Amino acid sequence: MKKYFFLILTTILFFHNISYCQEGLDRGFKVKVGDLSPEFSLELLDGSIFNNKSLLDKVVVLQFTASWCGVCIKEMPHLEEKVWQVFKSDDFILIGIDLKEELDIVQNFVSKVGVTYPIAIDKDGSVFESFTTEKAGVTRNIVLNKRGEIIFLTRLFDELEFSQMVEVVKAELLKYE
């Protein structure tokens, strides 16, 4: 009986913590959980184009990053190992979106960090700014459900919040099995 009580209490606290983190300060976001993704279109390094409409029917993580961002560099191997390699499928995509850098810098950055998930360049920062307030810092993840609604937001790299994001992605994908 004590095991079940502990399990139920832990589950309640976990989801309460997720909801508290997501409803707290805006942390530099214009958007919030429950909003539809702003409209955007970007070109991946391989030349293919994607936009918020083409991502419908997929669970999506948009990861905003830059080569000069130490926190991004710390987070990216975790995204590769614990998100991309675990969930990549027809129903899921993780897209890194580099902020305002030139192609050769981004290519070197991606090679150095060693990630294999798709990367795009937000050349003028307009996509980033459609999600964030003016002068907001990079290192952000935005999770979208299959309807294009925002279901989770992260800022910086916090291991607890990162783990919560992974659980949200997993739970969202399980809805469609």
Side-chain angles (χ1 to χ4, degrees):
M1 184 70 168
K2 287 182 182 180
K3 285 182 184 179
Y4 292 113
F5 177 75
F6 179 73
L7 180 63
I8 291 169
L9 182 61
T10 303
T11 303
I12 289 169
L13 289 174
F14 176 77
F15 284 104
H16 176 267
N17 193 23
I18 287 176
S19 122
Y20 176 76
C21 287
Q22 296 297 290
E23 293 175 8
L25 300 172
D26 69 22
R27 301 186 307 159
F29 283 103
K30 283 183 193 173
V31 296
K32 63 185 180 309
V33 170
D35 288 352
L36 278 175
S37 169
E39 290 191 25
F40 63 87
S41 181
L42 287 168
E43 182 178 348
L44 296 172
L45 295 183
D46 70 5
S48 61
I49 304 292
F50 75 95
N51 59 44
N52 58 314
K53 302 282 189 238
S54 68
L55 297 173
L56 293 175
D57 294 325
K58 291 184 181 295
V59 176
V60 179
V61 174
L62 301 174
Q63 179 239 350
F64 288 97
T65 189
S67 67
W68 46 262
C69 172
V71 178
C72 301
I73 293 166
K74 179 180 177 183
E75 180 186 55
M76 291 174 79
H78 295 275
L79 285 164
E80 174 72 23
E81 178 186 341
K82 297 176 181 172
V83 179
W84 182 238
Q85 293 303 323
V86 173
F87 300 117
K88 67 180 173 179
S89 67
D90 290 340
D91 291 329
F92 175 81
I93 190 159
L94 164 62
I95 301 171
I97 303 172
D98 187 272
L99 185 59
K100 298 181 181 178
E101 295 187 297
E102 296 300 321
L103 178 61
D104 60 330
I105 292 170
V106 176
Q107 288 172 327
N108 288 335
F109 169 50
V110 171
S111 176
K112 178 182 171 188
V113 178
V115 296
T116 63
Y117 51 86
I119 303 286
I121 301 174
D122 184 7
K123 293 179 183 177
D124 64 0
S126 61
V127 175
F128 182 71
E129 292 165 2
S130 70
F131 288 95
T132 62
T133 58
E134 188 177 338
K135 298 183 182 176
V138 73
T139 315
R140 295 173 185 275
N141 296 299
I142 299 166
V143 183
L144 307 175
N145 66 16
K146 289 187 174 194
R147 293 180 304 279
E149 299 164 336
I150 297 167
I151 59 173
F152 202 80
L153 301 165
T154 73
R155 171 72 181 112
L156 297 172
F157 178 64
D158 173 80
E159 289 189 30
L160 175 61
E161 186 174 58
F162 185 89
S163 295
Q164 292 169 341
M165 180 186 72
V166 171
E167 290 303 315
V168 166
V169 169
K170 184 186 306 182
E172 192 65 21
L173 286 167
L174 286 173
K175 287 181 182 180
Y176 302 100
E177 282 191 354

